[in-house]
């Protein structure tokens, strides 16, 4: 009551009391300040949801691999976010969002020094939102390199990715000064929440890592025939997938970066709906594809279909209508199933399907923006089928190629360097016994007896 | 700072600049617009919490059933939300919230076409909140029909429930035009967050499904004696229960649909407190009841007591004081234990207790509104013990009966139709071997050896 | 649109319409009311995150103990929050936040009677936030007393802690009238989110419980040599740690109690960043320490390092810069490893390391405020290395000692009383067979065969 009267008086007198001091503190807060506070709140909550994706990736990856490597893969999933938090605080954020050197790289704000933003969302809130994105890119690689990578090599790699490789890509696209998307009204590569910037970057690194490592012992028999190596817990995998789906409601809607500013609440609602529909459609797409090809509805394939739907809609979630979210997500389903087959033919061993999900579908989702964008991003252009011509589609292709070359090149060099120095892969004996014993001198489930002897390529099939 | 000065000027000049264009964008946002943005934000976050209940139901149901059926039950829990997302987008929402035909059914807004809301919470945000509710109703059935239902039958059933059976009930009660509650000031059935609309609808379908399917092999011996079939993981069940408890803080408080509008923050706080107290009281009620009857504190019974407390308070969480939330929740505890005994006597096999929790306690919670409502809902009436006479209680009974007849009738017809066409139950051989092998050609835990041979009715007791 | 025009008119006429009735409802809401609504929303969401820590503690504690005790430890983790909810509703809140009797104890608001707050965050929202804090203090003890405590004794203890021991400490520090911190501008003990008030209180009770109970059978051999007893699931432990890390983003930022009021959004962002950085630094600290001392990177130690970082920054998260958050968190890492060694030397058996994490590091975090506080709390003083002199550091030491004496004294008396009456520890036979069988007549994983016979002190090492 007292507040209403106070504001009425303040309104009549032109709100001249607005800056008169703390006695009037609550009455004087402006709607613009409230909008900023609400945006900050929104960004922090979205960041919490994205942070929780770390648990999702950990459970998914552990569930889809064998129990003799469970402690190791969980440990890696924990440590990549730990290393990322330190690296992105010290250097990564500055390279991504510091003052631009030619649209290529940021040059200040290291260790979060000198970061103030008057009347805007605090830089620290933005950092928190960005660090969990960086952590996502880093953690994607763990799955593709699971069950054979040295722990120390993994620590090194995830630190470098978060420190340098990923932040530079962010600068190119999201800094507002990048050469791929230089801000309002410019022609440019458009990736709303990171189908390419996050997922394909993780996916490219995952692909290079999987190739350079080579397949797990027993994954391909001596005559080249592939053998399925089943993951040890569908319960963990399913839990992980649900957590990831949940986290994506922070990942995509949060990338609007605002909800109190005008129009942003509508945008956030559209993004949330598109995200959910694409996930569901991706599940249907993968379920049907795998069912037709293999004769049974397959849970791990359908889980990857959910993730494919989510990755696919990430680039365009703010720009397409729900009908096209369903289409884009659905196509992700068959893509992820077929890409996994292709990898297997190429004798590339990706235990959890990280490359199909994050790289292949990440590319698809990024291209889809160029095809189906009905609403303009900051470039003022719609997609090919929505009256925008080929401009946006070409920008998407340029961005995909540039970021792919950068990431695959640097990640490849990094993995070769690691291989040549500290070593990338554990010994044959250690791989057979399990990395839990070899790397950590412990097992994940000491109370439970294994049903299969720990031998190369043993599987439940 | 600049914002404050800007607003001061705007106030002095009667805010005539308010519509003058984008250059003044942030300064001009009104408190009404901010309240709508905050309500939208609130609804989306609440929806995320309710979405996460899908993971809760999946973990709970998997934990309370045997490991030979774990992949199958997880898969069903995933797919019911997938099917629901598609069905509720295409048709369900329109039937629930489209233009009313006689208070019985909605008739437009299919595929989310033509949905705009000026100056209000975006329709898409409301859809997102409603689809996760629809998903909850659908997933309840999975538990009661676990360990013996065909995968294809399950997909079919969950699609139909989300497409038609559930949305019509929503229209009757929550659309603002329904024949059971036609809006402000009318006499009517009052179910704040869905003890009946969501939980009893799921519970009625679960009951019909469990009856038509028949009990699991070995659940009752040839002489009719019941045998307990223990769930395979108390850790998953407990995790699921905690996730559900968490999700209910979206389910109930979110049903206020607003937090920025006047009075709604107080309402939301009351609802959150009532929800938590009822859950705790339900746990105590079930713990004590089971302890007295069976001689030991029983974890699965107490978990169901938590859920009973939550279901019980769902209808009345906004209308009762905390003391009565404790009472309503507490009574849910013994109810859930005794209803499970009753089902067992009737030889109805409900592996996780979905019918006691969601149907029996859902009815109790709905009646409790008629008894203990201290604050008026949109009907302007309080409960029998709070000066409102029997009006509300009678409305509750009418609603419970009408919705029960509708749901049990249609769900029963649906399950019989499925049974007569594609078949409802797996073969005896498949049930014995486990649905994971039979339906999906895989097992959930290939690394771990089962301690009991997979035989009908095997149990740890 | 209509809202903007409405407000423009309202502004021109001095908002004299502001109180004219409900027809104008949305237009008239003031920025002060919106700020309060936003603070309420923020507090409720933060409370949900902290609530979820119950699941985190349950998974962590279950994962770090043996499978023969899993149902029992999960059950205890559930029941401590259940008992806490009832106790803190009936009595605890009133003792903590009721009208102060001499700064020592609150004296009214029992059963949440007579709680209204005009123009402020609703008392019920504050209760919801505080009850989940009380639940955290209670649940910490479960880990230290795991695998040997009677179920009834546990129920009794957790009820008393939430009813009396913890609320009085809250009154001393956070009520605004307490003798340790009496409000704005006073000299006083400063613990922003509860390194001492929550974590050390839990930790002191855990220490007293572990001492009075004695070690588990087989934990120390007859010649006094310690034997490691491995937990049964690294997957559950890791999941629990991720959930706890997530929950801490409610625990610390939520303790600002506001985000819409001026300046609070900046504070909340700083707290979130500090919390994340300290967790990461704590992980590094423990990883490196354990690696150096034991020769291998150790997952459980690193998990405890994450928690140590989080506990360490809890007291000072709002007062220190990110660089010092990294330092404070990092030091938590070695502390937790070395404190666990110390406990082992003293033959105190704390199965999950609750005392090192919550008590030892809780003390460290509280002292660190006195050393590194760069921003003033409500006492207007900074730390020793930031120009504030020793005043704050002395206050911290006084608070640590006073709260330690209170809690250790009362908890010790309580455990002795329980021991002398209903008994504190299960029988030797029950402990060997597992508390799941002995207390609940069930096992947590009936489908899975144990790999080690259930014998005292059996371990996987």
């Amino acid at each position: 009551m007292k507040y209403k009267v106070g504001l009425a008086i303040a309104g009549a007198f032109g709100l001249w009391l607005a800056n008169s001091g703390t006695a009037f503190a609550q009455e004087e807060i402006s709607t613009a300040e409230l909008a900023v506070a609400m945006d900050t709140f929104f960004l922090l909550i979205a960041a919490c949801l994205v942070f929780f994706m770390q648990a999702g990736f950990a459970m998914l990856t552990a569930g889809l691999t064998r129990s003799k490597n469970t402690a190791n893969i969980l440990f890696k999933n924990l440590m990549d976010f730990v290393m990322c938090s330190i690296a992105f605080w010290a250097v990564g954020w500055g390279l991504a969002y510091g003052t631009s050197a030619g649209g290529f790289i940021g040059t200040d704000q290291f260790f979060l020094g000198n970061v103030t933003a008057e009347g805007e969302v605090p830089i620290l809130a933005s950092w928190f939102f960005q660090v969990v994105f960086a952590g996502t890119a880093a953690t994607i690689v763990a799955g593709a390199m699971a069950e054979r990578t040295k722990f120390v090599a993994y620590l090194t790699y995830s630190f470098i990715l978060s420190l340098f490789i990923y932040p530079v890509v962010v600068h190119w696209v999201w800094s507002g000064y990048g050469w791929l998307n230089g801000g309002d009204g410019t022609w440019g590569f458009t990736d709303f929440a990171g189908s390419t910037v996050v997922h394909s970057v993780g996916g490219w690194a995952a692909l290079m890592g999987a190739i350079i490592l080579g397949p797990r012992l027993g994954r391909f028999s001596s005559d080249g025939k592939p053998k399925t190596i089943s993951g040890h817990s569908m319960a963990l995998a399913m839990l992980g997938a649900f957590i990831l789906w949940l986290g994506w409601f922070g990942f995509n809607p949060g990338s609007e970066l605002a909800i109190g500013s005008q129009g942003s609440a509508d945008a956030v609602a559209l993004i949330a709906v598109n995200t959910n529909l694409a996930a569901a459609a991706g599940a249907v797409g993968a379920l049907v594809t795998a069912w037709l090809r293999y004769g049974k509805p397959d849970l791990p394939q359908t889980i990857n279909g959910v993730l494919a739907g989510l990755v696919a809609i990430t680039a365009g979630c703010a720009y397409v209508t729900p009908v096209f979210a369903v289409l884009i997500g659905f196509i992700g389903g068959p893509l992820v199933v077929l890409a996994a087959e292709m990898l297997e033919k190429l004798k590339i061993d990706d235990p959890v399907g990280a490359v199909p999900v994050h790289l292949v579908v990440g590319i698809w989702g990024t291209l889809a923006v160029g095809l189906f964008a009905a609403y303009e991003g900051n470039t003022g252009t719609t997609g090919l089928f929505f009256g925008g011509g080929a401009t946006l589609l070409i920008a998407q292709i340029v961005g995909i190629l540039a970021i792919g070359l950068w990431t695959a090149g640097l990640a490849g060099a990094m993995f070769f360097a690691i291989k040549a120095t500290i070593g990338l892969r554990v010994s044959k004996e250690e791989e057979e016994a399990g990395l839990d014993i070899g790397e950590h001198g412990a097992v994940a489930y000491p109370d439970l007896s294994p049903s299969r002897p720990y031998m190369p390529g043993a599987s439940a099939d």
Side-chain angles (χ1 to χ4, degrees), chain A:
Chain A
M1 188 56 78
K2 64 175 172 157
Y3 299 126
K4 279 190 238 165
V5 175
L7 187 58
I9 295 167
F13 287 81
L15 296 174
W16 65 269
L17 287 166
N19 292 306
S20 67
T22 54
F24 228 79
Q26 282 211 282
E27 282 86 343
E28 77 181 48
I29 197 164
S30 72
T31 54
E33 286 169 320
L34 276 176
V36 167
M38 205 190 301
D39 292 347
T40 305
F41 179 13
F42 174 68
L43 207 60
L44 293 173
I45 290 293
C48 288
L49 288 172
V50 180
F51 165 80
F52 198 38
M53 290 171 71
Q54 292 292 326
F57 278 113
M59 295 301 116
L60 179 74
T61 311
L64 295 179
T65 52
R66 286 165 295 179
S67 61
K68 66 178 177 178
N69 300 313
T70 299
N72 179 262
I73 198 70
L74 293 168
F75 208 165
K76 285 172 178 166
N77 271 277
L78 172 63
M79 289 312 298
D80 59 40
F81 186 67
V82 166
M83 302 309 278
C84 173
S85 290
I86 303 296
F88 202 75
W89 161 65
V91 176
W93 165 271
L95 299 183
Y97 288 100
T99 305
S100 187
F104 182 78
I105 198 165
T107 57
D108 52 16
Q109 299 191 12
F110 302 116
F111 294 93
L112 290 175
N114 278 326
V115 289
T116 52
E118 278 293 318
E120 288 172 25
V121 169
I123 295 285
L124 291 178
S126 299
W127 180 84
F128 185 46
F129 187 69
Q130 296 296 333
V131 74
V132 290
F133 269 62
T136 304
T139 208
I140 287 167
V141 192
M145 299 177 67
E147 308 201 280
R148 58 208 193 279
T149 306
K150 268 191 173 177
F151 188 72
V152 175
Y154 190 82
L155 293 186
T156 309
Y157 133 78
S158 58
F159 191 74
I160 295 172
L161 192 91
S162 308
L163 190 90
F164 182 68
I165 301 177
Y166 169 78
V168 169
V169 173
V170 170
H171 190 83
W172 294 0
V173 183
W174 289 342
S175 69
Y177 306 98
W179 72 271
L180 276 172
N181 184 321
D184 287 0
T186 64
W187 174 92
F189 175 69
T190 299
D191 182 4
F192 186 75
S195 285
T196 287
V197 174
V198 178
H199 293 282
S200 290
V201 163
W204 283 115
L207 178 63
M208 298 310 290
I211 292 172
I212 296 169
L213 264 175
R216 288 168 293 175
L217 295 175
R219 177 68 175 89
F220 300 98
S221 62
S222 52
D223 60 351
K225 283 211 187 116
K227 282 163 95 174
T228 301
I229 301 178
S230 301
H232 86 283
S233 173
M234 288 307 105
L236 291 182
M238 188 72 255
L239 175 64
F242 273 124
I243 292 175
L244 288 169
W245 194 336
L246 173 70
W248 239 284
F249 294 130
F251 204 93
N252 286 0
S255 292
E256 175 73 13
L257 307 180
I259 195 163
S261 306
Q262 278 165 331
S264 53
D266 288 282
V268 170
L270 173 67
I271 296 164
V273 169
N274 281 347
T275 300
N276 191 63
L277 286 174
V284 174
L287 172 76
V288 170
T289 306
W291 205 333
L292 291 174
R293 292 181 80 80
Y294 314 130
K296 298 253 186 190
D298 186 275
L299 181 56
Q301 294 273 12
T302 306
I303 285 175
N304 274 348
V306 169
L307 302 181
L310 291 164
V311 171
I313 201 60
T314 295
C317 53
Y319 311 128
V320 303
T321 60
V323 177
F324 286 91
V326 170
L327 180 69
I328 292 168
F330 181 82
I331 291 173
L335 272 180
V336 89
V337 175
L338 300 177
E341 286 187 14
M342 181 68 69
L343 277 183
E344 195 169 69
K345 271 186 199 144
L346 295 170
K347 307 227 183 316
I348 298 169
D349 182 20
D350 175 1
V352 306
V355 173
V357 167
H358 299 281
L359 177 57
V360 176
V361 179
I363 291 172
W364 155 241
T366 308
L367 290 173
V369 177
L371 299 173
F372 303 122
Y375 310 117
E376 300 169 1
N378 68 353
T379 62
T381 320
T382 55
L384 185 64
F385 299 136
F386 283 80
T391 311
L392 190 53
L393 186 60
I394 293 167
Q396 299 304 88
I397 294 169
V398 170
I400 290 165
L401 291 174
I403 294 169
L405 283 171
W406 167 264
T407 309
L410 281 185
M414 174 180 75
F415 287 126
F416 276 121
I418 291 173
K419 193 174 180 175
T421 51
I422 56 178
L424 194 56
R425 184 161 181 156
V426 300
S427 71
K428 188 164 177 292
E429 293 69 34
E430 186 174 329
E431 189 175 339
E432 287 178 4
L435 276 69
D436 286 5
I437 291 289
E439 295 274 58
H440 312 297
V443 292
Y445 305 107
D447 288 16
L448 304 171
S449 61
S451 67
R452 54 186 181 198
Y454 288 143
M455 288 163 48
S459 116
D461 292 45

